[in-house]
Amino acid sequence: MINSALYGRADLQVHSSFGDGMDSAKVIFDTTERSGFLDVIAITDHDDIRGALEARDTHARGGYAFDFVTGIEITTLSGHILALWIDEPVPSFKSLHRTIEYVHELGGIVIIPHPFSHLTRSVGYRALDKLMGRTDEIFRPDAIEVGNPTSMHKFAGVHSGWRVPILNHERWNLAETGSSDAHFKEAIGTGYTLFYGRDEASLRRAIASRTTIGLIDDEFSFLEIGLGRLVAQQAKGIAVTPRKIVEKTIRRFRAKQL
């Protein structure tokens, strides 16, 4: 029996309007503060750390009761990964194991989000199993999502994530996390990580000790957001993510010319 007074809840994948999310960091934080449900939240915009850094400043000014973690959702050649506790950019479209190595060298941790999902770029079974066969731990992820509404919820039509906990217990023994993958304020906390403690330091220790639990809110329906806003977010995602990747490429090219 879990004593809820000793355990905190963290949402480790939230997207802001700096990227393809629909709400600003302030709106996300104010919504989180009002609900009182979460103890830790991470902003993880696609392939760009700047949204998380701006969010960190917003969080510091706001005096919020919950902790904040910087992060990125990085596109690798094998699918997306989450990099948390970093504050530097990470190159996109590199090999999976080299990207994980780079994040670890920056002092961050890596989570495999929405594994095996057909709805977004996701790390598949073969790529993950091959990765976990490497002897050097610097190339391996630290955790895997077992609770993500976008891959587990009935709205998706296909429960692509149902095999993940079984395979993890049988083969990989990674820490297990949950995240909302929220692009709307209404979805924040619909997937979350349960951990011993209440702050971001306790959360990181819990991931390292593989004692976290990934959960989702079965009562939530994406229909609560409304079809119009869902369509608008999809259109924004198609436009924003490629543009940011191109901008990063141009900035790196210009830097080399200086």
Side-chain angles (χ1 to χ4, degrees), residues 221-243:
S221 170
F222 283 96
L223 297 177
E224 297 175 21
I225 295 169
L227 181 59
R229 293 180 69 212
L230 288 168
V231 171
Q233 189 281 317
Q234 289 297 303
K236 184 178 183 183
I238 291 171
V240 168
T241 302
R243 189 187 75 233

Side-chain angles (χ1 to χ4, degrees), residues 17-218:
S17 57
F18 188 93
D20 65 344
M22 299 300 283
D23 299 294
S24 68
K26 187 177 188 308
V27 169
I28 290 168
F29 293 156
D30 289 348
T31 300
T32 301
E33 185 82 354
R34 284 194 299 271
S35 74
F37 182 71
L38 296 172
D39 300 281
V40 182
I41 192 170
I43 296 293
T44 56
D45 291 323
H46 288 280
D47 299 296
D48 199 331
I49 190 63
R50 292 176 297 168
L53 298 182
E54 288 190 8
R56 182 172 65 185
D57 293 340
T58 301
H59 182 268
R61 292 192 302 267
Y64 297 103
F66 55 89
D67 278 3
F68 174 71
V69 174
T70 54
I72 321 175
E73 185 169 11
I74 306 164
T75 306
T76 77
L77 293 176
S78 299
H80 291 165
I81 65 171
L82 294 178
L84 301 179
W85 283 283
I86 63 171
D87 55 12
E88 297 182 35
V90 177
S92 305
F93 295 106
K94 303 297 183 182
S95 67
L96 180 59
H97 73 283
R98 289 299 182 190
T99 307
I100 292 174
E101 178 188 32
Y102 190 81
V103 172
H104 284 155
E105 288 175 344
L106 292 176
I109 71 161
V110 173
I111 299 173
I112 304 296
H114 43 71
F116 317 158
S117 175
H118 304 295
L119 300 175
T120 188
R121 295 188 184 96
S122 302
V123 175
Y125 168 78
R126 291 183 180 178
L128 180 56
D129 203 47
K130 181 179 179 180
L131 192 68
M132 293 304 296
R134 290 182 172 271
T135 56
D136 194 334
E137 291 189 0
I138 198 170
F139 298 119
R140 299 180 189 170
D142 303 281
I144 188 168
E145 269 187 358
V146 299
N148 182 317
T150 63
S151 59
M152 295 292 292
H153 203 274
K154 59 187 178 182
F155 174 82
V158 178
H159 296 271
S160 56
W162 69 269
R163 295 183 299 152
V164 177
I166 298 171
L167 289 169
N168 187 45
H169 295 163
E170 291 178 349
R171 300 185 62 83
W172 307 315
N173 195 32
L174 291 166
E176 297 185 345
T177 64
S179 304
S180 67
D181 203 354
H183 292 71
F184 307 88
K185 65 181 186 297
E186 292 89 345
I188 296 168
T190 56
Y192 61 95
T193 301
L194 195 69
F195 66 99
Y196 183 79
R198 291 286 185 178
D199 56 19
E200 55 93 12
S202 299
L203 169 63
R204 184 157 188 171
R205 286 194 296 269
I207 293 173
S209 63
R210 301 171 184 170
T211 56
T212 51
I213 301 171
L215 300 169
I216 62 171
D217 178 7
D218 288 325

